[in-house]
Amino acid sequence: MPLRSRPRPRPRSLAAATALLAAVLAGCSGGQDDHQDSSAGHSHDGGAGIGHIHGLGINPGDGKLYVATHRGVLAVDGEGSAKRMGDTADYMGFAVAGPDTFLGSGHPAEGSDEPANRGLIKSTDAGKTWQALSLAGEVDFHALEQAGNTVYGYDSTNGMLRVSEDGESWDERAELAALDIAVSPADPDTVLATTEGGVARSTDGGETFAGGAEPVLAYLSWAGEDGLYGIAFDGTVHRSGDGGGSWTETGTVPGGQAQALTAVTPDRVLAATAGGVYESTDGGKTFTERLDIPASDH
């Protein structure tokens, strides 16, 4: 009788990443976060009082870096100076949809009479003001992606993917426990999600997902056919040139635990960690600091 080989134990680093992602997923809820800073300042140095970073993007309207945080949306210039654009709300989901046009979700600033879960909101003045589009009081989107005119959102309140053609009416798709999603720029029916089992794939627009496959990643972003990137919680950056079939480690973002990731082009990548926001222009091999975040700002 042939001997059965024992299953190989997971590497310690992979086991740790899986455990951390599972803990984060378990902690995600639709309740309003505890806002420790209710002041409504409009500008500041560095990144004072931002809490946690949830999203990144480059605004085609002015070319600046925009950072969605626990206490407002910041515009960052080339010198690393940040300005809060509007309120101090908690922007959990964030996506740049066009020049000066952003999509968002999350929770209102302390003292607001808005519902605790803001549903899908939209800004057409680079984050200065926002209007409610849909699902206010019902959904907190923790991840938002736009592919063409279609919006994909991960509804953390109900643990499902939702898809909308107009930002107002939504189709309910697969139920899954995920932290982030990415949509193929070439095929909008291909959707990836980060789960505790690894990267899960859908080829039917998010109706169903296959089981997760390694590596275990926290955040994903897809820019161009060969510009799919993922980042693990420890800041290790992975790149795939075949739509997530295989991955290669490219580099590591400094600053500790990863918080957000956005691929602007196939070779330009933005990443946020506990220490700040960093940018790579060589496909994730090296990173330079765009915004410093002192420990006291969390």
Side-chain angles (χ1 to χ4, degrees), residues 36-92:
Q36 300 174 6
D37 179 7
S38 59
S39 62
H42 288 281
S43 65
H44 55 86
D45 294 327
I50 70 169
H52 193 91
I53 293 173
H54 300 302
L56 303 166
I58 299 295
N59 177 11
D62 58 14
K64 289 184 179 179
L65 164 66
Y66 282 74
V67 183
T69 81
H70 184 71
R71 300 187 185 96
V73 174
L74 311 178
V76 182
D77 63 22
E79 303 301 317
S81 177
K83 176 182 179 181
R84 182 176 285 117
M85 296 303 295
D87 58 23
T88 56
D90 183 7
Y91 291 87
M92 296 295 300

Side-chain angles (χ1 to χ4, degrees), residues 201-268:
R201 173 187 296 273
S202 171
T203 57
D204 55 11
E207 294 282 359
T208 60
F209 282 83
E214 295 180 4
V216 176
L217 302 172
Y219 304 101
L220 296 167
S221 190
W222 209 333
E225 189 171 347
D226 63 346
L228 173 59
Y229 289 87
I231 188 170
F233 271 114
D234 65 1
T236 304
V237 177
H238 301 250
R239 181 175 184 174
S240 176
D242 58 5
S246 61
W247 297 84
T248 301
E249 290 187 17
T250 61
T252 301
V253 185
Q257 184 171 315
Q259 298 183 350
L261 179 74
T262 295
V264 183
T265 70
D267 290 316
R268 185 182 182 191

